[in-house]
Amino acid sequence: MAARYYCTDSENGDHVDDPSEDALFELIGELNDQDNTFVVIQPDQDDPAWFASVAVLDEGGYEIVRRDTARREHHVSTENRIDRIAGDLTK
C-alpha cells in the first residue's frame, strides 16, 4: 500500500496532507464517540485503490480497517494504543 502522497480526513472535517506519525497520533487522539468517530487515510489522488480507517469502538479502543481493492484485500483489527496505530499506519 505505497503511494507518493497521502491525506487524512476525519468526520469533523479535519484534513491533513502528507500526515506524519505525530499528526496521525493527534487526529486519532481527537476521535470521540459523538461527533468525530473516524479518520480515513488514503492516497491523495482521484479514485484511490486503497484506504485505511480508524474508528472509535463503543466498548473502548479503536477498529482499524485496511482495504485494497486492487489486491482484493480487506483486513480489520482492533487496538487500544494510539501510538501503535499511528506508527503502523505510517510504515
Side-chain angles (χ1 to χ4, degrees), residues 15-68:
H15 176 88
V16 178
D17 290 319
D18 279 338
S20 65
E21 185 174 339
D22 290 338
L24 282 176
F25 184 91
E26 286 184 34
L27 286 168
I28 296 166
E30 293 173 356
L31 296 178
N32 61 62
D33 61 357
Q34 300 194 357
D35 62 354
N36 191 31
T37 60
F38 66 87
V39 63
V40 177
I41 303 104
Q42 62 188 15
D44 191 15
Q45 61 192 39
D46 292 334
D47 197 25
W50 65 265
F51 73 88
S53 67
V54 180
V56 175
L57 294 172
D58 290 338
E59 60 274 3
Y62 303 90
E63 177 183 75
I64 302 94
V65 176
R66 293 175 180 89
R67 186 163 193 92
D68 187 333

